[in-house]
Amino acid sequence: MNHVKLLFFATIRDRMGTKSLDLELPADLTIHGLKDRLSEEYPKVKESMKSVLVTVNREYAFDEAVIPLNAEIGMFPPVSGG
Amino acid sequence: MNHVKLLFFATIRDRMGTKSLDLELPADLTIHGLKDRLSEEYPKVKESMKSVLVTVNREYAFDEAVIPLNAEIGMFPPVSGG
Amino acid sequence: MQPSSLPTIFSITEDEIDLNDLVERITLTSTGAAAIFTGMVRGETKRGDEHQTEYLEYEAYIPMAEEKMKQVADEIRARWDAIEGIAIVQRIGKLYPKTPTVLIACTAAHRDTGVFEAARYGIDRLKEIVPIWKKEVSPSGEFWVEGEYMPKAGE
Amino acid sequence: MQPSSLPTIFSITEDEIDLNDLVERITLTSTGAAAIFTGMVRGETKRGDEHQTEYLEYEAYIPMAEEKMKQVADEIRARWDAIEGIAIVQRIGKLYPKTPTVLIACTAAHRDTGVFEAARYGIDRLKEIVPIWKKEVSPSGEFWVEGEYMPKAGE
């Protein structure tokens, strides 16, 4: 199993109802697989998962990528700083 | 006669040896005529008169212009502020 | 000079943005020009959906935002090699109309070496890839402002 | 808004240039972006004739310089109608390396409305038509810096 830390920001945090989550994931799970799992367990974010930005260890990551061990995963909408 | 006030800046002031000068000019003198007169009376500025910028009442003015009554005339090299 | 010895400032802060101090910190003896962009909270927006704003509430994924600010600075240096100093600052928290919220400043020896373009590029990239969000609070309610940019692999 | 009700600041001063204060004074409730240029005294110049500068001594034909700064602001507003506030400040007197000597700042609701271009235009025009000169004092002597621009009728 892979122990990862999820961090949620902005709309995603509001819908998740939490800033962060520690999860045990199967060793070869992809970003896509993680989105599916969250969509199932947290129906409120199902819609958001279609356009969510995902980062792995503070770099943008994409659906096909396998989640590395002990990753810090960020999930958030398109950024709007400035 | 036309009483005018001349103001000199930067290199022109250095060569004239003064910041300003009050002059009585013939009523129909042009900028060109004024430059000639200064070149004669102040040989040190003769060379400078070829590239000097001239202003009349704080607007740029050119050789053919007749100097208006009681004008404030500025004479200086190309500007270099900033 | 090596980029590593050139001043580069990143900051995500709840404090006021001090332009005088930031410009001074990226001014070298060889510096003759600084181009600076600051963004402020608009109290009244006319373009698009006309509305009033009471305040904005900013948040950031701080450690990642710092890394992405560094990336923006690296991208600027790769594109404009005359750039001497770079400062990138985002203020977060509850910010009211007329308050500066963000600053990008670039210095160089001369003004025709890309400083303006570099500052413009910097604010554009910050709004694309640096993980910061703002929630707008107005008399009619509150909503998260969402950007449009979808980062690509390697960004 | 009528240009006459928009903030426009011109100043020729011996005092320090305060960026925070100037930007604040040209920020309206509708302002979301400011592009600012500042120039500083270079202690070391590499381009062209390589040299060191001990200090610069600035002088201005003050009343005309103020009128020409107003003209630069009018030209900016004629070219970029989104511009809200404009500040144009020249510091004069004896100024040492790393000291800001000039500032041009333009504000607008959004950053893609010409603020960067307007600030760039402002500093370019100031260096063409505003009657200010600087004398450079270096270990090897002193000389007046001369511009190259010859104003045309109506400028």
Side-chain angles (χ1 to χ4, degrees):
Chain A
M1 293 296 278
N2 178 9
H3 180 83
V4 301
K5 184 169 196 76
L6 272 65
L7 302 171
F8 307 110
F9 298 92
T11 45
I12 310 294
R13 186 199 50 236
D14 286 356
R15 286 178 199 142
M16 285 296 297
T18 182
K19 278 186 177 183
S20 66
L21 211 57
D22 288 290
L23 280 188
E24 299 292 330
L25 301 178
D28 59 350
L29 194 73
T30 61
I31 299 286
H32 187 80
L34 173 62
K35 288 182 185 174
D36 282 349
R37 175 162 160 186
L38 290 172
S39 296
E40 274 170 42
E41 294 182 25
Y42 302 85
K44 281 191 182 168
V45 298
K46 188 173 179 182
E47 207 44 42
S48 309
M49 286 297 121
K50 291 174 187 168
S51 60
V52 71
L53 299 187
V54 180
T55 60
V56 170
N57 298 331
R58 303 169 190 172
E59 290 292 344
Y60 290 105
F62 302 88
D63 278 356
E64 298 69 30
V66 172
I67 297 169
L69 286 179
N70 304 117
E72 175 182 300
I73 296 176
M75 301 189 110
F76 46 76
V79 307
S80 61
Chain B
M1 294 295 279
N2 178 8
H3 180 83
V4 302
K5 185 168 196 78
L6 271 66
L7 302 171
F8 307 111
F9 298 92
T11 45
I12 310 294
R13 187 198 51 237
D14 287 356
R15 285 178 201 142
M16 285 296 295
T18 183
K19 278 186 177 182
S20 65
L21 211 57
D22 288 290
L23 280 187
E24 298 292 330
L25 301 177
D28 59 349
L29 193 73
T30 61
I31 299 286
H32 187 79
L34 173 61
K35 287 183 184 174
D36 283 348
R37 175 162 161 186
L38 290 173
S39 296
E40 275 170 41
E41 293 182 26
Y42 302 85
K44 281 191 182 167
V45 298
K46 188 172 179 184
E47 206 44 42
S48 308
M49 285 299 119
K50 293 175 186 167
S51 60
V52 72
L53 300 187
V54 180
T55 61
V56 170
N57 297 332
R58 304 169 189 172
E59 289 293 344
Y60 291 104
F62 302 89
D63 278 356
E64 299 68 30
V66 171
I67 297 168
L69 285 179
N70 303 118
E72 175 182 299
I73 297 176
M75 301 189 110
F76 46 76
V79 309
S80 61
Chain C
M1 229 180 298
Q2 288 302 303
S4 58
S5 66
L6 294 170
T8 310
I9 297 167
F10 320 110
S11 166
I12 295 157
T13 176
E14 300 207 9
D15 299 334
E16 263 187 46
I17 297 177
D18 183 340
L19 278 68
N20 296 321
D21 174 61
L22 288 160
V23 171
E24 188 183 332
R25 286 164 62 196
I26 58 169
T27 298
L28 307 178
T29 307
S30 53
T31 298
I36 307 148
F37 175 83
T38 63
M40 303 77 170
V41 178
R42 267 192 312 279
E44 290 174 33
T45 297
K46 284 156 196 161
R47 191 155 82 178
D49 207 14
E50 241 185 279
H51 64 281
Q52 308 259 319
T53 300
E54 193 185 329
Y55 62 85
L56 295 179
E57 184 134 19
Y58 283 79
E59 71 170 65
Y61 178 3
I62 293 178
M64 177 171 167
E66 287 170 343
E67 288 179 23
K68 289 292 150 186
M69 284 178 168
K70 181 177 181 319
Q71 179 181 324
V72 172
D74 289 344
E75 289 180 9
I76 287 172
R77 293 198 193 284
R79 278 167 179 73
W80 292 280
D81 62 8
I83 298 301
E84 296 183 337
I86 300 174
I88 305 178
V89 179
Q90 173 76 50
R91 189 170 177 191
I92 56 173
K94 207 173 186 177
L95 298 171
Y96 288 83
K98 301 177 87 172
T99 309
T101 58
V102 67
L103 169 138
I104 311 273
C106 296
T107 57
H110 304 273
R111 76 186 185 287
D112 59 357
T113 53
V115 268
F116 285 93
E117 294 80 358
R120 175 72 194 263
Y121 179 85
I123 183 63
D124 287 349
R125 285 298 274 164
L126 180 135
K127 285 173 176 263
E128 287 178 348
I129 65 167
V130 180
I132 302 162
W133 305 269
K134 58 190 169 210
K135 189 165 63 176
E136 185 151 339
V137 179
S138 75
S140 54
E142 56 178 70
F143 65 95
W144 285 97
V145 181
E146 288 201 9
E148 291 173 3
Y149 192 79
M150 301 301 283
K152 293 175 282 289
E155 278 192 317
Chain D
M1 231 181 298
Q2 288 303 304
S4 59
S5 66
L6 293 170
T8 310
I9 298 167
F10 320 110
S11 166
I12 294 157
T13 177
E14 301 207 9
D15 299 334
E16 263 186 47
I17 296 177
D18 184 338
L19 278 70
N20 296 321
D21 174 62
L22 288 160
V23 171
E24 188 182 334
R25 286 164 61 197
I26 58 168
T27 298
L28 307 178
T29 308
S30 52
T31 298
I36 307 148
F37 176 83
T38 64
M40 309 70 173
V41 178
R42 266 191 313 279
E44 290 173 32
T45 297
K46 285 157 195 161
R47 190 155 84 177
D49 207 13
E50 239 184 282
H51 65 280
Q52 308 260 319
T53 299
E54 193 185 328
Y55 62 85
L56 295 179
E57 185 134 19
Y58 283 79
E59 72 171 63
Y61 178 2
I62 293 178
M64 177 172 166
E66 287 170 344
E67 288 179 23
K68 289 292 148 187
M69 284 178 169
K70 181 176 181 321
Q71 180 181 324
V72 172
D74 289 344
E75 289 180 8
I76 287 171
R77 292 198 194 285
R79 279 167 179 73
W80 292 279
D81 63 7
I83 298 300
E84 296 183 337
I86 300 175
I88 305 179
V89 179
Q90 173 77 50
R91 188 170 177 190
I92 57 172
K94 207 173 186 178
L95 298 172
Y96 289 84
K98 301 176 87 173
T99 308
T101 59
V102 68
L103 168 137
I104 311 273
C106 295
T107 57
H110 304 273
R111 76 186 185 286
D112 59 358
T113 54
V115 268
F116 285 93
E117 294 81 357
R120 175 71 194 263
Y121 179 86
I123 182 64
D124 287 349
R125 285 299 273 164
L126 179 135
K127 286 175 177 261
E128 287 179 347
I129 65 166
V130 180
I132 302 163
W133 304 270
K134 58 190 169 209
K135 189 165 64 176
E136 185 151 339
V137 178
S138 74
S140 54
E142 55 178 69
F143 65 95
W144 285 98
V145 181
E146 288 201 11
E148 291 172 1
Y149 192 80
M150 302 301 282
K152 293 176 281 289
E155 276 192 321

